Amino acid sequence: MRSLRFIAAEALVSHPQVVQQSLDGVAHNLYPLLFKASYLLEQAEVIRVLLEHWPLEEFRLSALLGPLSEPTEDLRDRTCRACLEACVQGLADHVLRAGGPRRLRVADLTGVRDVKVQQCPCGRALGRWGRTELLARTCCRLQAESPGARSPVRVLADLFVTEGNFEVVVQALGPADPAPLRVHCLSFRADSLGPSQLLQVLRLAGPGELRRLEVVHNVRLHAGHVQWLLAQVGFPQLASLTLPAKAFDAPPTSTSAPDGEDPLLTSIAWELSQMSQLTELSVAFSTLTGKIPKLLGPLRTPLRTLDLANCSLNHADMAFLADCTHTTHLEVLDLSGHSLFVLFPSFFRLLSRAAQTLRVLTMEECSIEDGHMSMLILALSPCHELCELRFLGNPLSARALRRFFVALCELPKLQYVEFPVPKDCYPEGTAYPQDELAMSKFDQQKYDVIAEDLRAVLLRAGRGDIQVCTPLFGSFDPDIQETSNELGAFLLRAFKAALENFSRALEQME
């Protein structure tokens, strides 16, 4: 229930001209209330005016929109374009405003969440890439209009940099003179950049404060780049690290050591061990056969999140994972792309030791078949903290899935399940793992009947709270969705370059 104070605030912000005329008489402690009311009602004009005249030393977006502020409605998943643009424009107006002291010292724009469906009235989102470009362009404009600012505002931001906004971000992060808005990056995502571009922008972003680093998809790194990046830049506060596919491949010009040692891996592991805050590590789609003990063994802090999808792990790797100190702290684990029941003894032990903490488990394309169901149910039975389970791409029949769903009802905190299209819905003899074309050619009507039967299993057990679905091509990724056109163009250029290199190689052979 909303308080009379908030109802009054909504009434006031519904009349932007009245707000502008009466703002001088508003108590400073009411600004946060007026801001949340304006954001809820999408009153962008009022938001901009409030930021221009913000009388407090701090503006923290996540706290203002979160459930601890009045009212308790959580607005952090409303990345409303109009409201967020008004916030940044209001900050610019604030630092340019002449006359009177300015108290604002910190503007924290982090903590909002990108979701698939926007709940704001306009329904138009401003994603992380768009927020990065907006902030960068605003900073560049202010550098030109108000150079040599006497009391800059420290802006905390989550940045997403690609080839498309690289130049403006570099300009915004590295002004020669003190700038009115000084960007401090807490979370950084990079895509479609070259290694030298990545190094340049990370050095400007302030790696000493960085908490989360995601280097994904179309950033082509090998082990030499990774070692150089970690050793030369340094990330003392880093808590989460994501590296792109093939990041542990040897450099093209490297030669194997005569004793079989991998000095680059040893160096990377040592650099990671110096990160005393590191608790999340994602190295999916890197070939790490037999290397997991050397990579994870030196780490000084237990990992809570570990993504080893499609890393070609062997028995020694799984045995290490099952017995290492990280296991009893794991909350999120992805082992997709491995034949888990070939590695079953270690996998079973791993789950039994992680059972007290494991919240999210992903086992996509793990060759799980009907005959493995008893062992899988047994392995999962102690995982009473499990909230999310994903096992797409496994060749399971409707009968096996029904049996599995009965067992899943016994996991008290389970809320979300992604299950595969039953193999009954595909033509007989369909091979696994499937490519995208084969994956999409199934009997939709038959699937709908089976899916409804599986939901009925949950309902009969009183577990209608468990959400189940089959996202054939993966879950929604707001960052990929936002930059899909740029990524597509980048891939086309890469494909063209590969064809040209192939053609030149053929000519040389002739």
Side-chain angles (χ1 to χ4, degrees):
M1 181 179 295
R2 292 176 182 173
S3 67
L4 289 175
R5 273 175 24 117
F6 193 76
I7 293 171
E10 286 183 301
L12 177 59
V13 302
S14 297
H15 300 85
Q17 289 185 343
V18 176
V19 174
Q20 293 185 43
Q21 294 168 2
S22 58
L23 205 54
D24 289 340
V26 173
H28 292 180
N29 64 347
L30 291 179
Y31 271 69
L33 187 73
L34 292 174
F35 177 81
K36 190 166 187 178
S38 303
Y39 203 98
L40 180 65
L41 298 179
E42 204 176 283
Q43 291 289 343
E45 187 178 347
V46 177
I47 290 173
R48 182 170 180 172
V49 171
L50 288 172
L51 265 293
E52 179 186 354
H53 295 86
W54 197 259
L56 308 174
E57 290 189 358
E58 295 185 351
F59 171 83
R60 297 193 180 272
L61 185 61
S62 178
L64 290 167
L65 299 180
L68 298 181
S69 64
E70 184 183 350
T72 57
E73 185 174 356
D74 192 345
L75 304 182
R76 288 175 296 178
D77 58 358
R78 293 193 183 190
T79 53
C80 172
R81 176 179 290 272
C83 293
L84 293 173
E85 286 178 345
C87 286
V88 176
Q89 291 162 355
L91 283 175
D93 295 340
H94 183 93
V95 297
L96 291 175
R97 189 162 62 94
R102 295 201 308 263
R103 295 191 63 193
L104 184 61
R105 294 291 177 264
V106 177
D108 185 350
L109 303 182
T110 67
V112 291
R113 299 184 293 255
D114 296 297
V115 295
K116 189 173 185 178
V117 180
Q118 285 295 312
Q119 298 301 318
C120 56
C122 72
R124 296 173 64 239
L126 186 66
R128 180 160 46 159
W129 189 92
R131 297 194 295 272
T132 299
E133 185 174 49
L134 170 66
L135 179 60
R137 292 196 181 283
T138 302
C139 289
C140 292
R141 175 172 63 85
L142 292 174
Q143 290 167 19
E145 294 179 8
S146 181
R150 68 184 188 279
S151 54
V153 174
R154 187 168 181 259
V155 182
L156 308 182
D158 297 329
L159 301 184
F160 180 12
V161 182
T162 66
E163 189 177 47
N165 63 3
F166 171 77
E167 294 294 341
V168 69
V169 171
V170 167
Q171 183 181 345
L173 292 175
D177 300 316
L181 297 180
R182 294 293 299 178
V183 178
H184 294 256
C185 181
L186 302 186
S187 170
F188 187 96
R189 179 182 174 98
D191 200 350
S192 305
L193 295 178
S196 60
Q197 290 176 309
L198 176 65
L199 183 65
Q200 180 184 359
V201 72
L202 277 176
R203 280 178 165 160
L204 292 173
E209 295 181 290
L210 201 62
R211 298 286 296 162
R212 176 180 293 271
L213 174 59
E214 298 173 83
V215 186
V216 298
H217 305 306
N218 296 307
V219 181
R220 309 299 187 190
L221 300 183
H222 53 60
H225 293 135
V226 174
Q227 189 277 334
W228 188 49
L229 183 69
L230 297 182
Q232 296 298 317
V233 179
F235 304 96
Q237 300 298 316
L238 200 68
S240 177
L241 174 63
T242 297
L243 294 172
K246 301 183 179 181
F248 288 85
D249 284 7
T253 57
S254 69
T255 56
S256 300
D259 55 0
E261 287 295 310
D262 187 340
L264 282 177
L265 181 67
T266 301
S267 179
I268 291 170
W270 188 87
E271 296 293 344
L272 293 177
S273 74
Q274 302 309 296
M275 299 179 187
S276 60
Q277 310 288 321
L278 189 67
T279 58
E280 301 180 8
L281 182 63
S282 174
V283 290
F285 293 94
S286 287
T287 303
L288 292 171
T289 310
K291 298 179 179 180
I292 295 300
K294 181 166 287 189
L295 178 65
L296 302 186
L299 298 186
R300 293 192 291 173
T301 54
L303 295 174
R304 294 201 304 267
T305 296
L306 181 58
D307 185 351
L308 294 172
N310 298 281
C311 287
S312 303
L313 305 186
N314 62 16
H315 285 279
D317 296 317
M318 286 296 292
F320 172 83
L321 287 176
D323 292 318
C324 70
T325 56
H326 304 293
T327 304
T328 53
H329 296 82
L330 282 176
E331 298 176 15
V332 180
L333 176 63
D334 191 340
L335 291 173
S336 298
H338 297 98
S339 297
L340 294 179
F341 289 90
V342 173
L343 307 168
F344 185 72
S346 297
F347 174 62
F348 182 87
R349 177 164 170 74
L350 190 159
L351 286 189
S352 66
R353 295 190 67 227
Q356 300 303 311
T357 57
L358 192 63
R359 296 185 297 103
V360 180
L361 176 62
T362 304
M363 306 179 293
E364 297 180 359
E365 296 186 349
C366 286
S367 303
I368 303 173
E369 302 178 358
D370 289 12
H372 300 137
M373 195 49 61
S374 295
M375 291 186 287
L376 180 59
I377 291 171
L378 182 63
L380 287 175
S381 60
C383 298
H384 292 293
E385 299 298 314
L386 197 65
C387 301
E388 299 180 17
L389 177 65
R390 297 174 175 86
F391 59 107
L392 298 171
N394 289 292
L396 293 167
S397 68
R399 182 179 178 183
L401 286 170
R402 193 176 301 112
R403 182 184 172 197
F404 192 38
F405 271 51
V406 170
L408 293 181
C409 293
E410 301 301 317
L411 300 179
K413 295 188 178 181
L414 192 63
Q415 294 292 314
Y416 181 80
V417 176
E418 291 182 4
F419 68 96
V421 174
K423 65 180 183 180
D424 317 53
C425 302
Y426 289 105
E428 188 173 350
T430 296
Y432 286 80
Q434 302 164 299
D435 58 31
E436 289 191 2
L437 181 61
M439 191 187 305
S440 62
K441 291 183 176 180
F442 64 94
D443 187 329
Q444 181 69 52
Q445 187 174 4
K446 194 170 186 178
Y447 167 81
D448 291 340
V449 171
I450 295 171
E452 190 61 33
D453 178 53
L454 295 175
R455 291 187 180 93
V457 169
L458 301 177
L459 288 172
R460 285 194 296 271
R463 294 305 308 273
D465 59 310
I466 300 177
Q467 178 187 350
V468 297
C469 60
T470 306
L472 277 183
F473 305 113
S475 303
F476 172 73
D477 187 322
D479 295 316
I480 292 178
Q481 182 78 14
E482 186 182 17
T483 57
S484 57
N485 290 337
E486 181 183 344
L487 296 183
F490 183 91
L491 287 173
L492 285 175
R493 291 197 301 272
F495 182 62
K496 181 182 177 182
L499 288 178
E500 290 173 351
N501 292 335
F502 181 66
S503 177
R504 281 195 294 269
L506 288 178
E507 289 174 0
Q508 291 172 0
M509 291 174 63
E510 292 174 356

